[in-house]
Amino acid sequence: MTSPTAQSLSAIDQQKKRAADYAVAKVETGMKVGLGTGSTARFAVAALGERVRKEGLKVKCIPTSEATRKQAEEEGIAVVGFDQIDRLDLCFDGADEADPKLNLTKGGGGALLREKVVAFTSAKFYCIVDEAKLVDKLYAFPLPLEVIPFALKVVEREVAALGGQGTLRQKEGKTYVTDNGLWILDCRFPPIEDPPLLAKAFASIPGIAEHGLFCGMVYELVVGTNEGIKVLKPQS
Ligand code: 5RP
């Protein structure tokens, strides 16, 4: 598979591809790389595959979903697991929303648990997004929780107590099942004033395998624009 040419893409896809190309340019031979999931990460995996084939770039990669694993293998990218490597040099992945403090909502593609493990183990997390993902407050995109089926009702009640309302994700008329065999509860909350505080609350609820708030994890937020890219770094 080859990367699409810029001319054949919509404006939003061009933004995604610009952000993806920036992150992939950071990869050097010998690196261990985490591969995200979603339409933006897909551009990055295609661009990485192109570098592997054309430049002979040697990398070992951990994908964040079975869909990304399949794409990476088709691209000729070497895929490994955490039994073979411990730390990643960098990872690239998209987001559903990003606030000015670079808190993220992730999990629109249902891969949030593996995405968080990969981001956690990466020295540098390049979050690659189009401009539409930038928001003042995390809110409009429902916040996904990956939930152990046995605990669904318990988690729903706890989410309600926190002021949210959960909806079990469906796909093609059936309950959506993640790569980990779990379910996704998409939660609507009022605009989230303090994402780290809410993240802490989720962490204390048994039955939530992982939540889609990524706080304090981004190394650079790479925003594709119509003109080029903007790179935002966390303020210390
Ligand atoms: C998947 C994710 C994705 O990164 C997020 O949904 C953004 O996807 P896209 O790049 O298609 O907008 O978290 O679980």
Side-chain angles (χ1 to χ4, degrees):
M1 189 191 295
T2 50
S3 293
T5 57
Q7 293 85 339
S8 65
L9 297 174
S10 67
I12 204 90
D13 279 348
Q14 287 188 37
Q15 292 185 2
K16 292 179 183 189
K17 186 171 177 338
R18 284 187 187 117
D21 286 346
Y22 172 93
V24 170
K26 301 292 178 188
V27 179
E28 294 169 15
T29 213
M31 278 188 168
K32 293 165 278 180
V33 179
L35 310 176
T37 294
S39 57
T40 317
R42 205 173 161 78
F43 282 117
V45 174
L48 185 63
E50 205 159 297
R51 287 195 61 198
V52 165
R53 291 189 302 277
K54 288 192 176 154
E55 298 170 29
L57 190 76
K58 299 262 182 286
V59 281
K60 286 184 181 166
C61 296
I62 297 195
T64 52
S65 63
E66 294 309 314
T68 298
R69 173 192 303 281
K70 182 167 178 288
Q71 187 198 359
E73 286 172 350
E74 285 167 3
E75 293 286 350
I77 296 170
V79 171
V80 295
F82 282 114
D83 52 337
Q84 283 156 283
I85 55 180
D86 49 4
R87 301 285 305 167
L88 294 164
D89 296 292
L90 66 86
C91 70
F92 47 73
D93 200 357
D96 299 301
E97 288 187 336
D99 77 7
K101 291 189 172 161
L102 311 194
N103 298 300
L104 310 176
T105 295
K106 284 184 55 53
L112 61 139
L113 195 159
R114 295 189 191 188
E115 289 172 340
K116 197 173 280 184
V117 173
V118 162
F120 175 78
T121 53
S122 293
K124 294 177 180 174
F125 169 22
Y126 291 93
C127 182
I128 49 177
V129 295
D130 57 86
E131 271 182 318
K133 304 292 176 54
L134 299 185
V135 296
D136 284 340
K137 296 217 163 90
L138 304 180
Y139 165 60
F141 196 93
L143 178 59
L145 307 179
E146 189 159 349
V147 173
I148 293 160
F150 172 79
L152 178 69
K153 290 293 161 195
V154 173
V155 173
E156 277 177 345
R157 284 194 279 271
E158 293 299 317
V159 164
L162 289 169
Q165 164 139 35
T167 304
L168 188 62
R169 189 177 295 185
Q170 305 287 310
K171 191 176 177 190
E172 291 157 8
K174 292 194 187 135
T175 300
Y176 175 85
V177 180
T178 70
D179 287 344
N180 310 304
L182 306 179
W183 292 349
I184 298 280
L185 193 64
D186 289 308
C187 300
R188 289 219 161 270
F189 279 92
I192 301 173
E193 301 296 335
D194 190 342
L197 193 66
L198 187 58
K200 222 170 156 183
F202 288 143
S204 72
I205 301 172
I208 298 178
E210 196 47 84
H211 60 81
L213 285 174
F214 285 51
C215 303
M217 300 188 88
V218 172
Y219 173 70
E220 284 182 352
L221 180 68
V222 186
V223 187
T225 70
N226 289 340
E227 290 74 40
I229 51 156
K230 267 190 308 208
V231 178
L232 307 177
K233 288 210 177 231
Q235 306 292 316
S236 46

